[in-house]
Amino acid sequence: MLDSKLNKDELAYSRYLTMAEAVFVGALDNLRSVVVSAKALSGIDYGHINQQIQSLKAERVTSAESSSLIEQQMDALQKRVEIYQKSQQHISTVLTENEQAMTELDRVTTQLSLISSQQGMELETAMEELRLLAQRAQKYSTR
């Protein structure tokens, strides 16, 4: 499609291609990050941890056992819950960013397909938005 709308020697051609590649590479990096986070989360049984917390809360009320030990156990479990929740949030954020990047790439590509040489400024604006999106994708892939 790009070849049919722009000459390979035009600046807009290379700029669009560079931005599209940057978005693509950023999206792949983000997906790799999601895979790593998901693998890390697979070792955390969120439901079981919550059951343990509830059991410890009940035990704290009825037990004469040292409440300090129960509090330490609950604190450790709560920290694991927080790790799980932060990782889930990270995954959601990265996947949302990828969706936004792909949507923007689709929008710019569609705009490019409709463009004639008189509408070059609209393409420039769209590519600038795509460039900014590629930068955001890069930022997320380094987290």
Side-chain angles (χ1 to χ4, degrees), residues 1-18 21 112:
M1 198 278 308
L2 190 58
D3 289 336
S4 69
K5 288 294 180 176
L6 298 171
N7 184 330
K8 287 185 180 183
D9 297 329
E10 289 183 60
L11 180 59
Y13 182 96
S14 63
R15 287 184 63 207
Y16 176 83
L17 192 57
T18 300
E21 287 173 347
L112 178 62

Side-chain angles (χ1 to χ4, degrees), residues 49-105:
I49 291 170
N50 280 328
Q51 287 176 345
Q52 286 181 302
I53 290 171
Q54 294 307 314
S55 294
L56 287 171
K57 284 180 181 179
E59 185 178 332
R60 180 174 53 186
V61 171
T62 61
S63 177
E65 187 178 334
S66 168
S67 68
S68 174
L69 179 60
I70 292 173
E71 291 300 321
Q72 289 174 1
Q73 290 172 331
M74 285 181 59
D75 185 51
L77 291 170
Q78 188 58 43
K79 286 179 182 173
R80 286 173 61 197
V81 166
E82 290 171 13
I83 291 169
Y84 182 89
Q85 290 171 338
K86 285 180 183 177
S87 293
Q88 284 286 55
Q89 182 61 44
H90 169 74
I91 288 171
S92 294
T93 299
V94 169
L95 291 176
T96 298
E97 184 69 23
N98 271 10
E99 284 300 321
Q100 290 172 338
M102 298 311 295
T103 299
E104 187 64 18
L105 187 58

Side-chain angles (χ1 to χ4, degrees), residues 17-63:
L17 192 57
T18 300
M19 293 308 154
E21 287 173 347
V23 169
F24 177 76
V25 169
L28 284 179
D29 287 344
N30 284 346
L31 290 176
R32 286 185 191 103
S33 172
V34 166
V35 168
V36 169
S37 292
K39 283 181 181 178
L41 283 180
S42 69
I44 300 174
D45 187 346
Y46 187 75
H48 179 69
I49 291 170
N50 280 328
Q51 287 176 345
Q52 286 181 302
I53 290 171
Q54 294 307 314
S55 294
L56 287 171
K57 284 180 181 179
E59 185 178 332
R60 180 174 53 186
V61 171
T62 61
S63 177

